[in-house]
Amino acid sequence: MLNIILMGPPGAGKGTQAVDIAEHFHIPHISTGDMFREAIANKTPLGLQAKAIIDQGGLVPDSLTIDLVKDRLSKDDCANGYLLDGFPRTIPQAEALAELGPKIGRAVNLAVNISVPDEILVDRIAQRRVCPKCGASYHLVNRKPAKDGICDRCGSELIQRKDDNAESFKVRLENYNKQTSPLLDYYKKAGFLHEFNGNQAVETIRQEVFSLLEANQ
Ligand code: ADP
Ligand code: ZN
């Protein structure tokens, strides 16, 4: 069973790997960041609450985030595996997931962590462009789209995320170090943490992660 959580600092390449994993293993890609951005675009009550926090690089309150994931994970399409990208990000979120998962027969069994040194993350975030429609991610130098400004996968126009600026990034990295990195220990103790070096070619990381997932299918 592939009930996966994907972890790593902002800019580690989670989103890029997540899109490929979900496609190849036929499991839903559940990105809390994407869900919040969609809520913001649609101006839902959740989106209105989350917008300023996200733009500045902060974390959306646990209660809102946990409710969102509970609903999503309970949907039928998660019955045969799922890939959580960007959740959990705090210990209370991990605890909520540890309680919910077994209750609905969908306990996490793999935690994939992608790590990258801070100085590389700064560059990646500055050069990142994303597809607002399908979630694909590009780098203006290292991973250019075939056609400038256009998504290879779906043809939509690429954008720069509002929180991909130096100031917001600093806050995101601080939050990661303070609130999210303790989860590595948490999942190590639980016995299902798998670590990957994210400072390699996208394809290399993909191969390494795919072999882990193939062995656990
Ligand atoms: P990143 O590239 O930083 O990993 P994401 O797309 O995963 O970005 O998330 C973007 C933003 O959405 C975060 O900086 C945060 O404000 C909010 N967010 C996403 N997931 C969570 C979560 N699990 N808890 C709280 N806030 C979250
Ligand atoms: Zn796209």
Side-chain angles (χ1 to χ4, degrees):
M1 180 61 79
L2 298 177
N3 291 344
I4 313 166
I5 56 178
L6 190 55
M7 301 195 299
K14 296 186 295 291
T16 303
Q17 297 297 337
V19 169
D20 290 346
I21 294 169
E23 202 166 81
H24 185 86
F25 293 96
H26 307 290
I27 51 176
H29 171 204
I30 304 174
S31 158
T32 43
D34 286 348
M35 290 165 87
F36 287 133
R37 282 185 288 275
E38 197 183 315
I40 291 171
N42 294 330
K43 299 198 165 68
T44 68
L46 173 69
L48 296 175
Q49 281 188 74
K51 184 178 181 348
I53 299 172
I54 292 183
D55 286 352
Q56 288 161 24
L59 287 180
V60 178
D62 281 337
S63 58
L64 295 177
T65 309
I66 289 168
D67 283 349
L68 185 74
V69 171
K70 274 190 178 166
D71 282 353
R72 183 62 189 89
L73 218 52
S74 305
K75 297 226 160 99
D76 288 347
D77 65 339
C78 297
N80 299 311
Y82 56 81
L83 175 64
L84 272 175
D85 164 9
F87 183 96
R89 256 184 166 88
T90 66
I91 291 281
Q93 291 180 13
E95 287 171 344
L97 182 61
E99 198 190 307
L100 173 75
K103 229 191 253 169
I104 58 174
R106 297 172 188 183
V108 171
N109 65 342
L110 291 169
V112 169
N113 183 57
I114 303 179
S115 58
V116 173
D118 288 2
E119 61 279 10
I120 291 180
L121 297 174
V122 180
D123 167 79
R124 286 193 184 177
I125 291 287
Q127 309 285 344
R128 172 157 82 174
R129 296 296 180 272
V130 298
C131 174
K133 186 134 183 264
C134 76
S137 196
Y138 301 85
H139 184 286
L140 289 182
V141 182
N142 302 333
R143 226 172 106 81
K144 281 164 63 156
K147 207 169 146 212
D148 269 357
I150 302 294
C151 178
D152 291 348
R153 291 180 77 237
C154 76
S156 302
E157 223 169 288
L158 301 178
I159 58 157
Q160 179 169 33
R161 271 168 45 178
K162 250 200 162 149
D163 59 344
D164 278 352
N165 62 72
E167 247 165 74
S168 300
F169 175 72
K170 195 165 161 264
V171 179
R172 283 155 67 198
L173 197 56
E174 277 168 14
N175 284 333
Y176 174 80
N177 288 327
K178 260 192 240 144
Q179 311 224 58
T180 310
S181 66
L183 294 181
L184 296 179
D185 239 18
Y186 179 95
Y187 286 112
K188 199 180 231 167
K189 285 195 184 116
F192 39 73
L193 179 69
H194 300 269
E195 306 212 56
F196 295 87
N197 171 10
N199 193 12
Q200 308 183 82
V202 171
E203 288 69 27
T204 310
I205 303 165
R206 177 170 53 221
Q207 281 170 18
E208 292 182 3
V209 175
F210 273 27
S211 22
L212 168 75
L213 303 188
E214 269 153 15
N216 283 278
Q217 235 175 331

